[in-house]
Every structure is written in C-alpha cells, then in structure tokens.
Amino acid sequence: MEKEEKKNNQPPNEETTSKMPQNFIKEIIDEHLRTNKYGGIVHTRFPPEPNGYLHIGHAKSICLNFGLAEEYNGLCNLRFDDTNPTKEEEEYVSSIKEDIKWLGFDWEDREYYASDYFDTLYEYAVKLISKGVAYVDSLTSDEIRKYRGTPTQAGKESPYRNRPVEENLELFEKMKNGEFKDGECVLRAKIDMASPNMNMRDPVMYRIRHEFHHRTGDKWCIYPMYDWAHGQSDSIEGITHSICTLEFENHRPLYDWFIEQLEIHHPRQIEFARLNLSFTIMSKRKLLELVEGKYVTGWNDPRMPTLSAMRRRGYPPEAIRHFAERVGVAKRNQVIDVALLEHSVRENLNKNAQRVMGVLRPLKVIITNYPDNTVEELEAVNNPEDPSMGKRKVPFSKELYIEQNDFKEDPPKKFFRLAPGKEVRLRYAYIIKCEEVIKDPVSGKVIELHCSYDIDTKSGLGKSDKKVKGTIHWVSVQHAFNAEVRLYDRLFTVEDPVGDKEKDFKEFLNPDSLETLKECKLEPGLKSAKRGERFQFERLGYFCADLIDSEDGKPVFNRIVPLRDTWAKIAKAQKKN
Ligand code: ATP
Ligand code: MG
C-alpha cells in the first residue's frame, strides 16, 4: 500500500516509457506517415561492418534504429555489410549479435548479409551497363585518382569512358569470370566528371579481388564497393528510413542516382551526427591497434568502449539505452561528456544494485572489550531506495577489518572517521573508540587498532542516544571472503585522445587505468555472487562479478564506477589552480 502511494507521487519513470523524445528524424517519419509515403510502414536497419566489435557509438545507432521501429510498430533488420572479403569476420559477426541482444533488441529472423545480394547487385550492374550508364575502366587505380580532380577542379574523363555497351557487358562478364588480375579494371558509374560533388565523378562500383569471402567463399572475384552495395541493399530489403551518420550526407545524391537509374524501391536516407564521447576513442581501427598491441587484454577488456567490455565491467544495458536516449539525435557533430554515461550507470545501479560491505585495503581492528568467541548476526538493509529488496544478516565479531584510509593518526579538522581517541559508528553495529594504535616496529606502519565498543550504541536497538558524525563500513575477520578486486579507471587521461594529429593517441593512455587488489575482504555473502551480478560496496562504488575470470564460489570483482565522479573533482581543482 505504502509503495503504491509512493509510486503515484512520482514523475513517470523515464526508463519504462518507450517513446523517445521528439527529434528531426521522427518529424520526417511523422510527415511520411501523414502523406502515406511508404504505406504507413516504418522499416529500419542496423548495418554493421563485421570488422570489429561494437562500441558505444554503435549502441547509439542500434537504439535509434530499433527504437524507432519499436515506437512506430515497424521492423528493424540486422544487416551485416560484408562487402569486403576479410578473414576473421565470424568472430565479429557473433560478437555483434550477442551485443545487440544484450542491449535488449531483437531482429527476429531478419538477419541479412550484403553478400546475400551479390547476385542481385550483379544483375543491377548489368542493367546499368545496358542503359549506357556504367562502364568498365582500364585505368590503373593511381590514374583514376589523378583523373578525379579536386573539390575545386573538375575531373577528367577516362579514355575508356565511351566504350560501347556490348564491349562493357563482355568485359564485365570477364571480370566476374576471373579473367583479369586484381586492379586490371573496374566497373564505374557514368555520371559526371565535372560534378562539384566528388562522389558523383564516375564512382567505382566493382573492383577485382581474388579473395575468399567468409560467406560466398570463392564464388566471386569481383566485390561491390560500399557505395554501390549499401543503398541497393536497403532497397532490396524494403527499408523505408535508412538512417546513417553525417559523413554520408554527400553520398546521398549518388545513392539516389543509383536507385533512380534502376527504378527500384527508394528508401529515404536521413543523416544524424555520430556520437563522440570525451576520454574515449571510437575508431575500430584504433581499438584494434590497442588489442593487437596488447595495451588492453582484448576487445572485452573492461576499459574498452566496446559493448562487450561494458557488459563485462558491469554496465547495465538499460543504462546504456537510457544514455542513448538522453543524448538524443543531433544534426551537428558534438562531443558528449563521458560523465553523462557514467551518471546513467550510477542512476540505474543506485536503484537496482544490492548494497554490501567490502573492505578494499584492510586494516585490522580489535575490539578489546567485546567477548571472545562471540558472533552477532546484525541486520543490514539491502537497498534503502527499494525496501522490497529486503534485508540480510551480517556477522560481527571481536576482530574486524576497516578501510585503511578510514583511520588517520594525525587527522585534519573535518576528518570524521577514526583517529586516536576518536569515535566512529560501524555501519549496522556499534560506536567504537580508538584506544591504541599498533605499529610495525620496523616500518612504523600502522598494522592494527585496538578499540573499545559501547554496547548501548547498537544500531537501532541500543539504549544510548549518543551520536557521532562518521559511519564506516567493516567486515568481520573470521568471516571475510578474500577476493580479487579490479579498480578500473578511464583508459585515457585527456578528453580528446585523437585531437592532436601530431601525436599518437596511445601516448595518452592512462597508466593507472587498472589497479588490481588481491587482498580485499568482503562480507561472506559475496562468495556466492554469480557472474555478472552487480553490487554497491557501500561508500566505495559499484562492482560486478567478472563474467570471465570468476569461478563458482570465487568471484573476481570489477569496479563499474566509483560512487561519485572523481574526475569532476580533479577537473574542478585544475580549473582553480
Ligand atoms: P569504421 O569506424 O570502420 O568506419 P563505422 O564506425 O562506420 O566503421 P559500421 O560497422 O559501419 O562502423 O557502423 C554500423 C552503423 O553504426 C553505421 O550505420 C554507423 O553509421 C553507425 N555508427 C558507427 N559509429 C557511430 C557513432 N559513433 N555514433 C553513431 N552511430 C555510429
Ligand atoms: Mg561504416
């Protein structure tokens, strides 16, 4: 009852409403629906090239394409743009599928490959040759480049441009049949060598590459260029709204030209700005460089901006979707602060992650006046934000671990944690007072604290109304689960790692992006954490049992994010100085 009331007083939960905010793409779609341009249908697609793992930028495109389809009761296809014959594609294909599913989207049985259309594309090319608007060119690729001109200077026509249709048909067939070597000739569209749009200067449609393709094997030795394959693939699938990033805006006249020449279904291409994130790189080529150079442990290293890395690190997929919605769609390129993504992650975990206690850098505390051989099971709340998540028992005993930095021998003024002669509350337990500091006789390092406790201060139950300013977390020594915890931080130290073209982006790798702690003391329940399970370690941050390195009964934890944006503090301090 109480819960119901609370719900009613709250603003609608953004996460459960599926409608995305109005944007210019939706305006175009709405207009098409009004004018019945595509018979009331909305059919989008997500077209990855299987040459790397998906990253957070792709997530933006996935959320947009699948999201629009969902919202307009339409469909969204998954299409692999595999026009380039390369080797390792199978690994990429399966990772891409896994990532899209993980984000929560479903292409049902509509899993397509541009290579499925190689036959149709060939027929289309023959049609264009027959119409006299495509020709086989025997210039070398260098010559073609030279003949192309510059943005301010018209190009020059190839001497082969006016080959008769019959000759072109014959040569094109020979190209297909493998009678030429790589690079000997290409098929080009015959458009306009003087067009101010360089894409219209007789673009290459097919090139010869005697290479094995992951799906078509050795069937083809000519492969369509992306610009030739992409728009036609959309058309073949009956895509209505072909959403792509801004760099394709001036390819649109070419795509329109092909479609009009072929007289086939004409999707509407709509361009939006790529998602760029501060402190992050999104180029697949550069990400591959990090993987191959072993700067990270793989595409799914939790520091990478890939979806498989974010999954492993513990980012909830809903948080990524929410983030994608929050940043919206723009027509101008912009850089989004990575802190916004981290904020979405925190916001989700604040509500959904169970809170527990874990000590990352342990310091032993002995409560000298607490009885020996006694264990109390203290009641702890799993998530104060959500009472339905219940309570649990945490064992308390005479010897505890606390965090090293919760004690200071020489505390500054506003230090409300433990110090000689000072008191602090142990979460869910008692107020203790530091009576004695034990040091290593050789190093002088503090190794143990002897404290006293006040039995009347038991949390929620004690007779005393004594109050202290600080509350710290702890774990009982004899019950502690010893675990490895990996503290991940941003992979780069600068906002724009690729901004300085003079420098290698790898110079900006953060040397402290990973710290591995092997002697962390966690409350005993965490021993049975399942792979992928997420927690808030109180006062420290959010953590996830690693999907790969955890074993049953021996989870390894990744820090997903600290509780607060520690970088904001650093940036603020830097501005002040
Ligand atoms: P590359 O980095 O190799 O040029 P790409 O990033 O364009 O490739 P694709 O596999 O071609 O990768 O991308 C699939 C889809 O994801 C495309 O529709 C592309 O526009 C979109 N996409 C890629 N990166 C971003 C990004 N940063 N923001 C939004 N959409 C993106
Ligand atoms: Mg691309």
Side-chain angles (χ1 to χ4, degrees):
M1 185 62 207
E2 213 182 278
K3 221 182 146 197
E4 278 301 327
E5 261 171 30
K6 201 176 158 209
K7 258 194 182 150
N8 289 340
N9 288 335
Q10 276 176 354
N13 183 353
E14 281 180 69
E15 255 165 278
T16 54
T17 52
S18 68
K19 258 187 128 172
M20 62 177 87
Q22 190 61 9
N23 59 49
F24 73 94
I25 299 181
K26 285 175 63 172
E27 271 162 27
I28 296 173
I29 295 177
D30 289 341
E31 178 62 18
H32 288 167
L33 292 176
R34 234 183 335 268
T35 57
N36 204 30
K37 180 164 173 162
Y38 292 112
I41 289 170
V42 174
H43 199 152
T44 57
R45 84 288 175 264
F46 173 65
E49 185 179 342
N51 63 348
Y53 281 59
L54 296 182
H55 53 56
I56 182 75
H58 293 116
K60 168 76 225 177
S61 175
I62 293 168
C63 292
L64 185 58
N65 279 296
F66 281 93
L68 286 169
E70 249 170 42
E71 189 171 334
Y72 286 96
N73 260 320
L75 297 171
C76 180
N77 295 355
L78 169 60
R79 181 172 70 247
F80 290 100
D81 245 314
D82 60 349
T83 46
N84 245 329
T86 48
K87 285 180 204 99
E88 295 150 321
E89 284 176 337
E90 283 312 325
E91 178 194 346
Y92 297 133
V93 165
S94 52
S95 77
I96 288 169
K97 292 202 279 192
E98 192 181 350
D99 290 345
I100 300 173
K101 277 191 208 140
W102 175 67
L103 277 181
F105 297 108
D106 186 2
W107 56 92
E108 297 170 317
D109 57 351
R110 296 177 311 283
E111 175 180 330
Y112 301 125
Y113 293 80
S115 57
D116 295 341
Y117 312 135
F118 282 176
D119 285 294
T120 310
L121 288 170
Y122 183 82
E123 284 163 31
Y124 282 172
V126 169
K127 185 168 170 186
L128 294 191
I129 297 172
S130 307
K131 281 183 79 169
V133 294
Y135 62 99
V136 173
D137 196 353
S138 304
L139 290 180
T140 65
S141 57
D142 271 349
E143 286 166 330
I144 290 180
R145 207 171 306 126
K146 272 191 211 129
Y147 275 54
R148 223 173 147 222
T150 67
T152 51
Q153 218 175 6
K156 211 166 83 183
E157 294 187 354
S158 163
Y160 305 101
R161 195 175 199 258
N162 295 313
R163 275 175 165 153
V165 167
E166 283 314 310
E167 188 184 337
N168 279 322
L169 286 172
E170 206 174 294
L171 287 172
F172 187 49
E173 190 167 355
K174 282 187 176 163
M175 277 173 68
K176 181 189 79 161
N177 292 339
E179 294 180 33
F180 296 111
K181 289 198 280 295
D182 285 12
E184 254 189 281
C185 45
V186 293
L187 184 75
R188 298 178 74 174
K190 192 172 176 176
I191 310 177
D192 179 7
M193 287 307 289
S195 170
N197 183 343
M198 301 279 285
N199 295 310
M200 302 298 275
R201 296 186 187 172
D202 292 11
V204 173
M205 295 165 62
Y206 274 98
R207 67 231 192 282
I208 301 172
R209 285 181 71 176
H210 289 271
E211 264 182 73
F212 185 84
H213 186 278
H214 78 129
R215 283 175 70 86
T216 57
D218 287 320
K219 180 174 174 193
W220 297 90
C221 64
I222 55 169
Y223 289 97
M225 301 299 288
Y226 179 85
D227 274 350
W228 165 240
H230 191 75
Q232 278 51 256
S233 302
D234 281 345
S235 174
I236 292 166
E237 289 175 17
I239 299 306
T240 56
H241 298 88
S242 171
I243 295 160
C244 63
T245 43
L246 280 183
E247 66 273 23
F248 291 101
E249 191 168 13
N250 60 5
H251 294 237
R252 175 154 36 114
L254 174 60
Y255 298 173
D256 288 344
W257 184 89
F258 281 136
I259 297 258
E260 278 153 27
Q261 291 294 332
L262 292 166
E263 298 171 74
I264 52 178
H265 165 73
H266 198 152
R268 165 65 192 270
Q269 174 171 305
I270 307 170
E271 304 87 10
F272 75 103
R274 248 168 211 275
L275 169 69
N276 297 304
L277 269 190
S278 60
F279 295 96
T280 311
I281 57 167
M282 301 262 210
S283 149
K284 283 189 268 188
R285 194 175 48 78
K286 291 199 170 73
L287 293 174
L288 180 66
E289 204 177 319
L290 294 180
V291 173
E292 288 187 331
K294 302 216 178 334
Y295 296 92
V296 292
T297 57
W299 285 98
N300 66 356
D301 184 304
R303 292 165 292 181
M304 291 282 271
T306 57
L307 297 180
S308 53
M310 290 181 180
R311 172 166 64 243
R312 184 171 173 194
R313 180 141 165 191
Y315 280 26
E318 299 79 12
I320 295 177
R321 288 173 70 153
H322 196 212
F323 165 74
E325 203 163 280
R326 254 192 191 148
V327 301
V329 280
K331 276 195 215 186
R332 290 260 176 84
N333 280 317
Q334 70 202 116
V335 180
I336 305 287
D337 190 342
V338 72
L340 185 65
L341 172 62
E342 292 161 351
H343 172 74
S344 294
V345 170
R346 272 189 208 103
E347 196 177 49
N348 177 293
L349 295 174
N350 180 48
K351 277 183 261 161
N352 300 318
Q354 180 183 331
R355 298 190 191 177
V356 294
M357 292 196 285
V359 173
L360 298 185
R361 294 175 178 87
L363 171 62
K364 203 177 208 182
V365 166
I366 297 175
I367 303 176
T368 48
N369 60 340
Y370 193 83
D372 295 335
N373 307 320
T374 300
V375 177
E376 274 183 273
E377 296 284 340
L378 303 179
E379 193 163 77
V381 177
N382 288 337
N383 189 338
E385 300 277 320
D386 181 359
S388 76
M389 287 173 73
K391 293 180 179 168
R392 70 186 186 289
K393 298 275 192 216
V394 188
F396 183 89
S397 65
K398 189 181 176 84
E399 297 195 3
L400 309 170
Y401 291 117
I402 65 165
E403 210 69 61
Q404 281 168 19
N405 65 7
D406 278 337
F407 170 78
K408 268 205 169 68
E409 204 175 4
D410 207 0
K413 231 185 179 166
K414 286 196 172 163
F415 188 80
F416 299 121
R417 292 168 269 168
L418 211 50
K422 290 270 161 43
E423 288 180 310
V424 79
R425 174 170 286 287
L426 296 175
R427 182 88 160 133
Y428 302 120
Y430 303 95
I431 292 176
I432 59 167
K433 181 175 182 182
C434 178
E435 309 281 3
E436 197 183 346
V437 179
I438 314 290
K439 294 181 184 175
D440 181 299
V442 182
S443 68
K445 207 180 147 218
V446 175
I447 48 170
E448 206 171 279
L449 302 177
H450 288 183
C451 299
S452 59
Y453 87 120
D454 177 351
I455 194 165
D456 290 335
T457 59
K458 187 165 181 174
S459 257
L461 298 168
K463 289 188 282 243
S464 160
D465 54 6
K466 189 193 272 179
K467 288 215 161 57
V468 286
K469 280 206 167 146
T471 299
I472 63 174
H473 60 277
W474 52 271
V475 171
S476 160
V477 169
Q478 57 168 307
H479 301 95
F481 162 51
N482 192 83
E484 178 176 325
V485 175
R486 298 160 182 177
L487 302 181
Y488 290 106
D489 203 342
R490 292 179 185 168
L491 189 52
F492 293 98
T493 53
V494 295
E495 279 185 32
D496 185 5
V498 294
D500 187 344
K501 298 284 176 259
E502 306 282 287
K503 287 198 172 146
D504 185 339
F505 72 101
K506 299 197 290 301
E507 281 178 38
F508 303 111
L509 281 166
N510 177 5
D512 304 318
S513 60
L514 168 61
E515 186 182 359
T516 305
L517 303 172
K518 297 206 182 250
E519 295 290 323
C520 301
K521 309 294 179 184
L522 312 182
E523 66 169 77
L526 285 169
K527 198 169 154 49
S528 54
K530 291 182 210 58
R531 288 177 185 79
E533 205 173 346
R534 307 176 183 98
F535 301 90
Q536 181 192 108
F537 290 5
E538 291 204 33
R539 303 177 61 231
L540 298 174
Y542 295 99
F543 293 79
C544 176
D546 191 80
L547 286 168
I548 292 163
D549 296 335
S550 297
E551 289 167 31
D552 291 342
K554 203 172 179 302
V556 169
F557 289 90
N558 299 326
R559 182 170 69 191
I560 310 169
V561 273
L563 275 189
R564 271 166 287 279
D565 182 357
T566 47
W567 287 72
K569 237 191 283 168
I570 295 169
K572 229 181 181 176
Q574 277 171 349
K575 261 186 200 148
K576 261 193 198 156
N577 290 338

